[in-house]
Each structure stands twice: as C-alpha cells, then as structure tokens.
Amino acid sequence: MAALDRVKVLVLGDSGVGKSSLVHLLCHNQVLGNPSWTVGCSVDVRIHDYKEGTPEEKTYYIELWDVGGSVGSASSVKSTRAVFYNLLNGIILVHDLTNKKSSQNLYRWSLEALNRDVAPTGVLVTNGDYDREQFGDNQIPLLVIGTKLDQIPETKRNEVLTRTAFLAEDFNAEEINLDCTSPRYLAAGSSNAVKLSRFFDKVIEKRYFLRDGNQVCHFS
C-alpha cells in the first residue's frame, strides 16, 4: 500500500479543556481512560476518507497536534510553542463549555498560531466586541469544539450554547459541542460527524487542491 498523503491540524486551547481526550476520541473512537497534562506537544493520527462515497474519494492521514495549553504571554513561552505552528493546514479550537474564560482565550490562541499576535499582552476583545478584521485574510480552515457538555445542567444548556455560539461566527467556522467521555456524540451519520468530515475535507482541499478542483504539486 502506498504511503498516504497527510495534513497537519493543530488542536489548541487552554489547559484542562479536554484536548487530549478529544484527540484520543477522534483518532481511536475510544474514551481516554486516564488523561494527563500535555507537556510540549503530542501527535496522534486519524485516517480520513476525503469525499467519502464519491468518485473522488481518497484516504489521507490527519495529523492532530495537541499543543500544551499554557496561556502564559511571556515571549519565551510563545517561542517554545512556535515550532509546532510551522506548516499547519488547519486548526481545531477547543474550549470548555463550563469555563467562559477558556472560550475567550480562543481568540488569543488562534492569533498566536497564525502569527498575528504581535503584541503578547494585546487586547483581542474590547468591550465585548470582536474585531473580525483580524481574520479577514485567514486562509487556514478553523473548527470550534466545545467540551464537557455533560457537565451543563439541562436547564442551563440553551443559555450556555447561545453564549458560545458567537465563537463559530467570529472565526467563520462550524461548531461542535460534545462530551469526550461518550463516543455517541461523533457517531457515524450524526450532525457532528458530518461537520467534522466537512472540516477535514476543507483542510485537505486547501492543502492539495486548487479552487478549480485541480490537484497542485506539493512537497511532503
């Protein structure tokens, strides 16, 4: 079997939001029994069928780079993480639905990864307003995933999900909310599974194909 082409997707977000559990679920369709803090970066691989069920179907490796979630703004911290941001093809932004601050910090994470955060202590959100122009020319596909949905009481879910829905709009991305301890949230055919597949297809298209559908020359 020929080696599969691959794409690199960063998984970013604060410590404790469940990135490692999410990556394990995405790659193995299993719950991570004993998650631990990620130091530096951990890489796992998901096999994805691009345009599944069509004549253009092709299998790719999706490399998921789980980057440690320290939110320190010191230049030394950012310099250490910067090596993981090279040659990225897509970004999954992960926040904890029970932690409002982790949602707000996604702006910082995304700009840092896209090398747009020129002021380490710069304010990205002012008076509750987000400057969409910061992402006006971004060509990297983004996906927003909210975790720990199970920890929100049913009576509070509408309120919380309404509050976090603006994230997807700001990032021009689709949104998935789930519980990483239950594979059913990503069951085949579910709306979440469709969104995930669509995101990976978009990442692959940006990496390997021109807008008119013609394959481009590339180097691994």
Side-chain angles (χ1 to χ4, degrees):
M1 178 177 176
L4 298 180
D5 289 326
R6 64 186 185 273
V7 293
K8 175 181 177 180
V9 176
L10 296 180
V11 182
L12 302 177
D14 290 358
S15 296
V17 298
K19 298 188 301 297
S20 297
S21 295
L22 173 65
V23 169
H24 191 82
L25 182 62
L26 293 178
C27 294
H28 306 286
N29 196 34
Q30 294 178 344
V31 175
L32 182 61
N34 188 26
S36 57
W37 299 106
T38 299
V39 177
C41 182
S42 176
V43 182
D44 209 338
V45 176
R46 173 189 173 97
I47 297 177
H48 174 72
D49 292 324
Y50 170 73
K51 289 192 174 181
E52 186 176 8
T54 73
E56 294 80 24
E57 180 176 338
K58 182 180 177 180
T59 303
Y60 289 82
Y61 281 137
I62 308 291
E63 293 182 350
L64 294 173
W65 290 54
D66 173 14
V67 179
S70 170
V71 294
S73 60
S75 58
S76 59
V77 175
K78 292 190 175 185
S79 297
T80 301
R81 284 198 297 258
V83 66
F84 306 129
Y85 299 157
N86 294 329
L87 303 177
L88 64 94
N89 305 121
I91 300 175
I92 296 177
L93 298 168
V94 186
H95 64 112
D96 175 352
L97 292 167
T98 70
N99 182 343
K100 186 176 181 179
K101 185 175 181 180
S102 74
S103 304
Q104 295 172 333
N105 281 340
L106 292 186
Y107 299 106
R108 185 186 197 100
W109 282 110
S110 53
L111 291 180
E112 179 183 309
L114 295 170
N115 295 319
R116 299 285 298 277
D117 189 4
V118 294
T121 59
V123 177
L124 304 181
V125 182
T126 304
N127 297 326
D129 295 326
Y130 172 65
D131 182 6
R132 288 179 173 82
E133 292 184 0
Q134 294 177 99
F135 283 89
D137 59 355
N138 173 48
Q139 297 297 312
I140 302 297
L142 304 174
L143 178 67
V144 177
I145 296 184
T147 62
K148 306 185 184 181
L149 182 61
D150 58 309
Q151 296 184 22
I152 304 174
E154 289 286 349
T155 56
K156 294 286 188 179
R157 285 194 180 183
N158 285 340
E159 176 185 340
V160 172
L161 297 183
T162 297
R163 172 175 59 79
T164 61
F166 70 89
L167 289 169
E169 181 179 351
D170 283 348
F171 291 119
N172 190 28
E174 290 196 286
E175 177 187 35
I176 292 175
N177 296 307
L178 48 67
D179 165 18
C180 293
T181 65
S182 178
R184 70 182 178 85
Y185 284 93
L186 294 174
S190 67
S191 61
N192 284 345
V194 171
K195 290 178 182 179
L196 187 66
S197 180
R198 196 155 51 207
F199 168 70
F200 288 141
D201 278 0
K202 187 175 181 180
V203 171
I204 291 166
E205 287 171 352
K206 290 286 187 179
R207 171 67 176 88
Y208 289 106
F209 295 86
L210 295 174
R211 289 184 179 181
D212 62 4
N214 295 319
Q215 190 162 10
V216 299
C217 294
H218 63 273
F219 298 92
S220 300

